[in-house]
Amino acid sequence: MSTSERLIDSTRELLWERGYVGTSPKAIQQRAGAGQGSMYHHFTGKPDLALAAIRRTAEEMRATAEERFAGPGTALERISAYLLRERDVLKGCPIGRLTQDPDIVADPVLRRPVDETFDWLRGRLAELLAQGRERGELDASLDPVATASTVVAVLQGGYVLARAADSAEPFHQAVEGVLGLLTRHARA
């Protein structure tokens, strides 16, 4: 792995663990096994490196979701595959946690990939729900856009509840709950 890749990966991990303020250039360099000169050779500073790390995290999140969304099955089966996939619930969502970081939210450049990722996720879920409705898999009364927003809100809220309880159970209950609501709109 190249030095720039190690720096990006280290920054991603530290942002997820500590947030932006808690991620110092020195901590990034130590975790990456890179010197200050290497860091500033590849990146103009911490904000530039953080942006690269956030973009990488967003790309991975979208790719992981798309694997489930593009898979076989009905719209509900593909959404279920996404919601039920294995994840480290107690660490929280690596993108969702960034919305709680005041330094990232206050910086439009750092916030942009976060906003774009949630916009993409809501849009992709809405597409799947609309396809399911068009194919007769889901009830015609289901609103794809509002339902997609609900699914994302439940997922992110599930992470928060799990972290607050120090247990994955609230997350799993939230996912099962939203899947139960979606199933009620499924047509036989």
Side-chain angles (χ1 to χ4, degrees), residues 49-79:
L49 181 51
L51 180 60
I54 294 167
R55 283 183 177 151
R56 178 75 52 82
T57 299
E59 289 166 8
E60 279 189 15
M61 183 176 154
R62 287 191 300 269
T64 299
E66 189 56 37
E67 283 178 30
R68 300 332 186 269
F69 295 155
T74 66
L76 186 54
E77 289 168 341
R78 291 181 283 159
I79 291 169

Side-chain angles (χ1 to χ4, degrees), residues 5 27 30 35 46 51 65 87 111 115 130 140 159-160 179:
E5 290 299 312
Q30 286 176 339
K46 178 180 165 181
L51 180 60
R87 49 184 99 214
R111 190 180 65 240
D115 292 340
Y159 280 120
V160 171
L179 287 174

Side-chain angles (χ1 to χ4, degrees), residues 6 12 22 27 32 79 82 94-95 122 143 158 160 164 169 172:
R6 287 194 324 269
R12 290 176 62 204
I79 291 169
Y82 166 69
I95 291 295
R122 283 189 305 271
D143 179 339
V160 171
E169 189 58 29
H172 296 301

Side-chain angles (χ1 to χ4, degrees), residues 31-185:
R31 187 167 290 196
Q36 183 176 0
S38 293
M39 181 175 151
Y40 290 102
H41 171 74
H42 294 286
F43 302 95
T44 58
K46 178 180 165 181
D48 185 40
L49 181 51
L51 180 60
I54 294 167
R55 283 183 177 151
R56 178 75 52 82
T57 299
E59 289 166 8
E60 279 189 15
M61 183 176 154
R62 287 191 300 269
T64 299
E66 189 56 37
E67 283 178 30
R68 300 332 186 269
F69 295 155
T74 66
L76 186 54
E77 289 168 341
R78 291 181 283 159
I79 291 169
S80 294
Y82 166 69
L83 292 174
L84 296 171
R85 75 171 175 79
E86 190 173 321
R87 49 184 99 214
D88 193 348
V89 173
L90 294 181
K91 281 184 79 177
C93 173
I95 291 295
R97 287 200 52 192
L98 297 175
T99 65
Q100 298 169 31
D101 190 314
D103 293 294
I104 290 176
V105 172
D107 185 329
V109 174
L110 293 176
R111 190 180 65 240
R112 186 173 300 117
V114 175
D115 292 340
E116 290 170 350
T117 300
F118 282 125
D119 287 345
W120 175 87
L121 183 57
R122 283 189 305 271
R124 192 65 179 97
L125 284 165
E127 285 174 22
L128 286 171
L129 293 164
Q131 287 172 4
R133 204 172 66 173
E134 290 164 12
R135 294 178 184 161
E137 300 165 0
L138 298 169
D139 189 277
S141 67
L142 182 124
D143 179 339
V145 174
T147 304
S149 289
T150 301
V151 170
V152 173
V154 167
L155 186 65
Q156 291 301 312
Y159 280 120
V160 171
L161 294 173
R163 286 177 56 83
D166 195 27
S167 167
E169 189 58 29
F171 177 88
H172 296 301
Q173 288 174 344
V175 167
E176 289 299 325
V178 79
L179 287 174
L181 293 172
L182 287 173
T183 300
R184 290 191 183 134
H185 286 280

